[in-house]
Amino acid sequence: MMESNSSSDALTGLSEAEAARRLQQHGYNELPSSKGRSLLATAWDVVREPMFLLLLACGTIYLILGDVQEALMLLGFVFVVLGITLYQERKTERALEALRDLSSPRALVIRGGERKRIAGRDVVPDDLVVLAEGDRVPADSVVLSCENLSTDESLLTGESVPVRKVAWDGVREMTRPGGEDLPFVFSGTLIVQGQGIAQVRATGVHTEMGNIGKALQTVQVEGTRLQREVGRLVRRVAILGLTLCVVVVVLYGLTRGNWLQGFLAGITLAMAVLPEEFPVVLTLFLALGAWRLSKMKVLARHVPVIETLGSATVLCVDKTGTLTVNRMSIRKLVVDETVHDVEQQKAQPLPEAFHEIVEFGILASQRDPFDPMEKAFHDLGNARLAHTEHLHALWKLERGYPLSPSLLAMSHVWKSPTGQEYVLAAKGAPEAIADLCHLNPERTQGIGNHVAAMAQDGLRVLGVARGVYWQQALPGEQHDFTFEFLGLVGLADPVRPTVPAAVQECYTAGIRVVMITGDHPTTAQSIAGQAGLKPFDEITTGPELDKIDEAELRRRVRTTNVFARMVPEQKLRLVHALKANGDVVAMTGDGVNDAPALKAAHIGIAMGGRGTDVAREAASLVLLDDDFASIVQSVRMGRRIFDHLQKAMTYIVAVHVPIAGMSLVPVLLGGPLALLPVHILFLELVIDPACSVVFEAEPEDADVMHRPPRNPMAPLFGSRILGLGLLEGASALLIVLAVYLSALWGWLNVSDAIALSFTTLVLANLGLIFANRSWTRTSWSTLRTPNAALWWVTGGTIFFLGLALYVPFLRDLFHFSTLHSDDLALCVAAGFVSILWFEGLKLFKQKWWA
């Protein structure tokens, strides 16, 4: 029942300036959630990590040995590495905080007379909030007008049965939740039926939810398959490092009798082997990936979905608003076999014969519509029927009969201020309206011919009917009324300009696009053709879907790309059938009934513009602009993130091989230590930003959308990735070791050998960074691709290496001798040679593919 104490048309709401003032006065509409860690707490967590405990152990040993300068140098480096780590942590937390802000419930408010969607946290007292089925109530409010409004208040009361709401009488004071026929709705509760307009009374901690101490869930970085895989790798390498550490300590102590130096050598090796970058890089890549998606108007509600995006093989999308622009207009009207083209005859008055179909189309719509089709009826009526008797602002809506899966039509029952009878208005699928009107087969066939002709033009076709009812008690079903068929309405919703190119990009990337719509099959086929779906001649309808078993459905979904006349519940069957065929499914949805399908899909995608809060909560991704092209960009971003994650991990494996080797081999050969803790720390200053910033900022490869989806079960560290990393690292180790041994066993002293081998190692490290930027293009060809972080890391490395080599105080701390120009030329050449084989392999692959 529609109840109101004020016309919603007259509601203008707060001005933006007043809303901003109240937001400043009352604060954000949010509850105190678990706060992010303080800088001190983050620092404490970092200090407790194994790498820093090893550094402290090294510093202690240097103090025992009486080498105060070395100990102070290590502590200085501790603070530098601590600063870098804190920067990475804070960058990750800021990205997650931005996602938390975006993922807060949305609210549709009336401000300055216009409806606009805002973040729920920006709602202020006295805001006018538009409530619709599937929405979360953003704040404690009083209902000003409503139609069949019911809410689920179980979150506050524990009572699972929905409760009815009525319009406020202007007198009743705010009460606690619970009970029927109250004019109050409460923050966090769910609208399960109807629509209404409410005025906010309390926000944030002053709401009922705030009073009982409920806290909002915060965005968490969830444990994923990738994170578990990284965890296993770290544990295995840590065990290997610890074992080698013990071996080195014992070997050094027994053969040389210097146990303190043995501990120092063992700790250096442990620092060299420990892959502490792995979990940091994974967390940072996923968090920043989610942040980058948000910049593309795609919200990752669950960060782990990013690792799944690159595996998607099927995109199941709705037509309206996703493939199309969701701005509908009425193009054609059909009454008594007469067709009127509204667009072509826009300058002429609407013929009298078509007034009634527009009038009852408006009566069958919401008074304040949010649905694009209902807006189109109102727009046409306001433009062409203004100042006529066909618009009824003073009529009262007595009851609404909603659309249902069994009957794709909706009806409104109205009462005029002067009439005694009820006036009926119905609209919906032409076959459903024909069924309501009990038309004979010949008339139904004639209507079907018109529908087919309009659908071939890509129009969404609705039937409209009217009726009169004299009895006082209204029946329970629409079929109990007597309706008269008025005619057909053809609505146009053009395909988004970006869609054909995005669909083609999907095909190039090996991804099928499946369109699911409630439209007539011919309309669906026309839009599918305009969008570029291939093939689009095979169509399955909802009624056909209900008649086939699961085996037949699994066979049909392998080739069918257009599903028409579908209701939301049938999406779930499609998802299960596609998954049973081995596909990785991305599914879009916007309604309450779409939630099960969104949950069941590997990647649930909710519409941010027109979607309900229930759909958003069930989905992994939310399209803030409802654009299909954004889904394709998300897949591209998912592939990019996974690619660069593999490159960063390969680089980490590769760079640790020569570091660990140069810590271990000299001990085994009985020579002096080639790497000391201070050297490891210097390398960490290069490795940390390189793996977490340089590779993350790298643009995607040109072929990222020209290859099939990756196997979702394929490990991040397959034999190919680990093999490549170990091979790159082994080649760098051989070169660095050759420089070290030739210097040591030739004509140079220990300081020369350490300086030459360390400089070669640093330059080989830079070579590994450049080599792994792309696995298909050579390093010199990637120089044309901008990456500011790369040049900062490269320039900073060379600058600080120069300081260590030529500032006497630092040179002594690093145990270096002075290198001359020919020495530096040797180091540069050796560093270049260490990656030469990989560059040659890239050239060979390019020629092979050509």
Side-chain angles (χ1 to χ4, degrees), residues 806-824:
Y806 297 109
V807 174
F809 168 70
L810 293 175
R811 190 169 60 232
D812 292 341
L813 282 177
F814 277 82
H815 301 276
F816 288 162
S817 64
T818 303
L819 295 185
H820 301 97
S821 57
D822 55 341
D823 299 322
L824 292 175

Side-chain angles (χ1 to χ4, degrees), residues 254-266:
L254 291 176
T255 57
R256 308 189 191 191
N258 192 335
W259 288 95
L260 273 179
Q261 285 291 345
F263 274 111
L264 194 62

Side-chain angles (χ1 to χ4, degrees), residues 47-304:
V47 167
R48 289 185 297 170
E49 296 217 357
M51 177 62 77
F52 291 92
L53 296 177
L54 290 172
L55 284 174
L56 290 176
C58 285
T60 304
I61 292 173
Y62 275 122
L63 286 174
I64 294 172
L65 291 172
D67 196 339
V68 178
Q69 276 191 339
E70 196 84 33
L72 291 176
M73 183 68 175
L74 283 179
L75 289 176
F77 267 114
V78 164
F79 286 109
V80 174
V81 178
L82 180 63
I84 291 175
T85 309
L86 286 177
Y87 169 76
Q88 290 174 331
E89 289 272 344
R90 295 306 297 167
K91 192 172 183 179
T92 303
E93 286 202 8
R94 280 196 300 272
L96 291 175
E97 284 167 7
L99 293 176
R100 275 198 288 272
D101 292 343
L102 275 175
S103 60
S104 70
R106 316 297 285 174
L108 181 62
V109 298
I110 301 174
R111 286 186 178 171
E114 295 183 0
R115 296 185 180 196
K116 60 182 298 187
R117 282 206 180 272
I118 62 172
R121 68 197 299 263
D122 293 333
V123 170
V124 298
D126 290 331
D127 250 333
L128 294 181
V129 181
V130 181
L131 304 173
E133 182 178 321
D135 288 347
R136 289 274 178 204
V137 179
D140 288 4
S141 311
V142 58
V143 178
L144 301 182
S145 64
C146 64
E147 177 185 343
N148 297 327
L149 190 64
S150 297
T151 64
D152 176 0
E153 297 182 347
S154 57
L155 185 67
L156 299 175
T157 64
E159 178 56 57
S160 59
V161 178
V163 292
R164 234 179 9 257
K165 298 296 176 182
V166 297
W168 186 47
D169 58 9
V171 177
R172 189 161 186 167
E173 293 294 328
M174 199 88 174
T175 60
R176 300 292 301 277
E180 294 276 3
D181 298 324
L182 293 175
F184 308 111
V185 290
F186 300 92
S187 177
T189 59
L190 177 67
I191 306 295
V192 295
Q193 185 179 4
Q195 67 171 12
I197 294 177
Q199 187 174 41
V200 175
R201 288 295 179 83
T203 60
V205 295
H206 305 294
T207 61
E208 281 295 319
M209 185 176 284
N211 290 339
I212 61 176
K214 295 286 184 181
L216 288 174
Q217 291 182 338
T218 56
V219 176
Q220 300 285 341
V221 182
E222 302 176 18
T224 68
R225 185 181 60 82
L226 276 183
Q227 287 170 326
R228 291 193 295 272
E229 188 181 339
V230 168
R232 284 195 299 270
L233 182 68
V234 170
R235 284 193 297 272
R236 289 169 184 168
V237 176
I239 291 171
L240 173 65
L242 184 63
T243 305
L244 290 175
C245 174
V246 172
V247 169
V248 166
V249 171
V250 173
L251 187 64
Y252 202 103
L254 291 176
T255 57
R256 308 189 191 191
N258 192 335
W259 288 95
L260 273 179
Q261 285 291 345
F263 274 111
L264 194 62
I267 291 172
T268 303
L269 178 60
M271 289 171 61
V273 173
L274 188 67
E276 83 285 352
E277 299 93 355
F278 282 143
V280 173
V281 166
L282 182 61
T283 302
L284 192 71
F285 269 55
L286 293 180
L288 288 180
W291 176 77
R292 288 186 189 279
L293 282 176
S294 73
K295 293 297 182 184
M296 296 158 48
K297 297 192 179 299
V298 179
L299 169 63
R301 292 193 69 255
H302 305 294
V303 173

Side-chain angles (χ1 to χ4, degrees), residues 357-358 360-366 369 371-375 377-378 401-403 407-412 424-430 432-433 436 461-466 478 483 487 489 491:
I357 189 172
V358 178
F360 279 85
I362 294 171
L363 289 174
S365 304
Q366 306 292 353
D371 180 87
M373 287 190 294
E374 296 191 342
K375 281 184 176 180
F377 276 103
H378 280 269
Y401 293 84
L403 198 79
L407 183 65
L408 297 176
M410 61 180 295
S411 300
H412 280 170
L424 313 175
K427 75 175 190 310
I433 297 297
L436 278 180
V461 186
L462 296 178
V464 179
R466 69 179 177 190
Q478 299 181 68
F483 285 99
V489 179
L491 299 103

Side-chain angles (χ1 to χ4, degrees), residues 480-550:
D480 295 328
F481 293 113
T482 300
F483 285 99
E484 175 191 352
F485 189 82
L486 287 178
L488 299 172
V489 179
L491 299 103
D493 184 13
V495 170
R496 291 179 184 264
T498 57
V499 164
V503 169
Q504 184 56 48
E505 190 172 12
C506 285
Y507 291 147
T508 307
I511 302 170
R512 277 181 62 204
V513 180
V514 175
M515 186 177 82
I516 304 171
T517 179
D519 271 355
H520 188 279
T522 310
T523 304
Q525 191 173 30
S526 174
I527 296 296
Q530 294 175 44
L533 269 67
K534 298 174 185 177
F536 60 90
D537 52 345
E538 187 178 345
I539 299 175
T540 297
T541 65
E544 292 172 357
L545 192 70
D546 288 335
K547 294 176 183 176
I548 61 177
D549 59 18
E550 297 307 316

